[in-house]
Amino acid sequence: MSLSQTKLPAVVYFSKDDEIINGVHNLSKREKSYSNNPEWLPTWDPSQKFPKILPFKHVDRALFGDSEYENLFKAADGEINQREITPKLGTEVKSGIQLSKLDDKAKNDLALLVAKRGIVVFRNQDLKEKGPAFVKEWGEYFGPLHIHPTSGAPAGFPEFHVVYRRAGEEVEENKKKIFAFRNKNVGWHSDVTYELQPPGFTTFINIKTPKSGGDTIFADTIEAYDRLSPQLKKMLDGLKVAHTSRDQANNSLAQGGIERREAVDNIHPLVRWHPVLKKKVLFLQRGFGRRILGLKVEESDALLDFLFSHVESAHDLQLRANWEEGTVVLWDNRRVIHSAIFDWDTTASRHAVRITPQAERPVASEEEYLNWDPEVELKSQEHIDQILATPPAEVYELLKSLKTK
């Protein structure tokens, strides 16, 4: 099946035993009984409706961080026990830093550390005990929190995206559904790239996980770009990709789920520029990034398939993060792609929550980044449908003409 025909997995997974309380979909009483943290359980409220997200000028906190992380080290409670997971990607902090206690200057250093290392795994954290209100305020420091259009969220806090796999007998039932038509369930992606300004600094908080299994794998798309030949880089630079949320929205509605916001289409560079690292990044999403503008379907599918194969099969630019009680993982959604691993057979559930502050509008160069204007961007959004309907031979001339108007 070509990338242009890829079917996304269902976003919601309901049970006949679930409860509808005041019009809001809740997990069943039995499912709730498995949880020690019910305030973090998902609910789906069909009455929640949010307007289209408008462009805004993002302030990246990493740009204010100290290159030696002086403020982050000052916030340490005792000696910091840390290690590099791989030489270029990932750091694990086993003890010494409590994320909930960081002041703004230390958070700036933290944002810089996450940008430079791509992923930082923190152990023994207390964010889940602090509750949704505290974590929401903590995350808002890094940018406006993205509200997922279809996923479950803790009651009263739509800013959280809940990852939840059911406990009990339904684990085995769910596994049978997943592997009924496929031999593997690895879905590499960068989160919600269909938005005009997708997330950057991402926080993923473990609530409950199996004793083993349920890891998350990550791949570094800066390193992936750097390894390409000069000729291929020259070909890729300047290409644009159409991203859409329509399939995800349709899947949710088909399963009786919700749609908090209307589906959107956006166009992003295939190679984006990272404003903190000043490097180029392969900006890939197998599900949402559907077609390279300017190429015919077969050409686009072949090139995207090659790029995904390049990133997904290169284990020497990847890492595997495992989960423990109290683990919080922070990553830069601009420079890594990731996938959950569903590999356990026990009746344990997997439960985590994600907060995803939105970042800058993806652009291809420093010049575009410095000259980007929200009002100009808003006006350019009026032409999305026209651009997507334009034949490959004409689309870049159209983009050029629209840019000069």
Side-chain angles (χ1 to χ4, degrees):
M1 180 180 290
S2 69
L3 284 172
S4 60
Q5 298 171 310
T6 300
K7 297 297 184 183
L8 293 174
V11 175
V12 293
Y13 163 45
F14 294 148
S15 167
K16 64 181 186 302
D17 297 325
D18 288 350
E19 297 181 298
I20 306 297
I21 303 174
N22 297 324
V24 178
H25 193 113
N26 285 257
L27 298 177
S28 67
K29 290 180 180 179
R30 183 189 66 176
E31 195 68 29
K32 290 178 181 177
S33 71
Y34 296 130
S35 176
N36 295 324
N37 302 92
E39 71 276 17
W40 289 111
L41 289 173
T43 64
W44 293 264
D45 186 352
S47 69
Q48 287 182 333
K49 300 295 179 184
F50 295 92
K52 181 178 180 179
I53 299 175
L54 299 178
F56 65 93
K57 195 74 172 178
H58 173 60
V59 178
D60 197 313
R61 299 299 184 183
L63 295 172
F64 304 96
D66 180 78
S67 60
E68 301 298 325
Y69 313 116
E70 180 179 348
N71 300 294
L72 188 59
F73 291 147
K74 282 181 180 178
D77 182 15
E79 183 178 354
I80 298 176
N81 182 359
Q82 65 176 344
R83 71 179 182 95
E84 291 186 350
I85 301 174
T86 78
K88 293 185 179 181
L89 183 69
T91 294
E92 180 185 29
V93 180
K94 297 181 180 180
S95 61
I97 294 177
Q98 192 60 249
L99 295 172
S100 64
K101 296 181 180 180
L102 301 183
D103 62 17
D104 289 353
K105 288 184 178 180
K107 287 180 182 177
N108 293 342
D109 286 3
L110 176 67
L112 180 59
L113 175 64
V114 172
K116 285 188 173 182
R117 295 299 298 163
I119 307 143
V120 186
V121 179
F122 286 91
R123 306 295 186 188
N124 304 305
Q125 298 298 305
D126 64 2
L127 283 181
K128 76 172 182 180
E129 285 77 23
K130 293 293 184 179
F134 178 92
V135 178
K136 175 188 172 184
E137 183 177 355
W138 187 90
E140 286 175 331
Y141 179 76
F142 302 98
L145 298 184
H146 178 257
I147 295 177
H148 197 282
T150 62
S151 74
F157 294 93
E159 299 85 0
F160 291 88
H161 167 76
V162 178
V163 174
Y164 191 84
R165 290 200 184 277
R166 294 170 182 270
E169 296 175 0
E170 295 195 15
V171 168
E172 187 61 30
E173 293 176 13
N174 194 22
K175 185 177 179 181
K176 288 179 180 178
K177 290 180 181 179
I178 290 172
F179 296 112
F181 296 98
R182 301 182 62 178
N183 292 320
K184 60 182 178 180
N185 189 44
V186 176
W188 288 97
H189 64 283
S190 173
D191 291 326
V192 298
T193 61
Y194 48 73
E195 301 291 10
L196 177 64
Q197 295 181 237
F201 182 96
T202 296
T203 304
F204 201 79
I205 303 169
N206 176 55
I207 307 298
K208 186 178 182 181
T209 194
K211 290 184 179 180
S212 66
D215 295 351
T216 304
I217 49 178
F218 293 87
D220 186 358
T221 55
I222 287 180
E223 179 70 13
Y225 177 81
D226 287 345
R227 292 185 186 179
L228 298 176
S229 66
Q231 283 299 112
L232 185 54
K233 287 179 183 178
K234 185 183 296 186
M235 174 185 170
L236 299 181
D237 288 354
L239 292 179
K240 297 184 181 297
V241 179
H243 294 244
T244 184
S245 69
R246 297 186 186 280
D247 299 315
Q248 185 184 78
N250 291 338
N251 281 335
S252 178
L253 293 174
Q255 292 216 345
I258 60 175
E259 186 180 30
R260 295 192 185 99
R261 197 170 54 249
E262 290 186 7
V264 294
D265 296 290
N266 277 297
I267 297 168
H268 298 313
L270 178 57
V271 179
R272 72 184 290 183
W273 186 80
H274 197 295
V276 178
L277 303 177
K278 310 294 191 288
K279 294 182 178 180
K280 291 183 177 182
V281 184
L282 273 178
F283 193 49
L284 297 170
Q285 220 296 357
R286 188 179 282 277
F288 305 136
R290 310 305 293 280
R291 176 168 59 90
I292 299 175
L293 301 185
L295 300 185
K296 294 182 179 180
V297 172
E298 297 89 347
E299 297 167 344
S300 174
D301 287 343
L303 182 53
L304 288 174
D305 271 330
F306 163 76
L307 293 174
F308 271 108
S309 177
H310 164 51
V311 177
E312 296 170 2
S313 64
H315 297 292
D316 48 2
L317 53 78
Q318 299 175 9
L319 66 78
R320 186 164 178 145
N322 56 53
W323 299 92
E324 302 171 357
E325 182 75 19
T327 295
V328 175
V329 176
L330 310 178
W331 70 79
D332 188 335
N333 194 59
R334 298 167 292 189
R335 69 167 285 189
V336 297
I337 60 175
H338 63 278
S339 175
I341 299 295
F342 184 38
D343 58 355
W344 69 97
D345 295 321
T346 66
T347 57
S349 66
R350 180 175 188 254
H351 183 193
V353 293
R354 186 185 80 203
I355 46 173
T356 44
Q358 292 177 257
E360 74 280 355
R361 196 264 190 270
V363 293
S365 67
E366 182 174 15
E367 181 182 5
E368 283 188 75
Y369 174 78
L370 294 174
N371 294 327
W372 184 81
D373 181 86
E375 292 185 9
V376 174
E377 182 66 53
L378 184 60
K379 188 174 181 180
S380 71
Q381 294 300 300
E382 300 173 2
H383 304 285
I384 290 290
D385 290 342
Q386 179 187 2
I387 295 169
L388 295 177
T390 301
E394 304 168 18
V395 68
Y396 284 99
E397 283 300 317
L398 173 62
L399 288 170
K400 185 177 179 180
S401 68
L402 292 173
K403 193 174 183 179
T404 59
K405 288 184 178 179

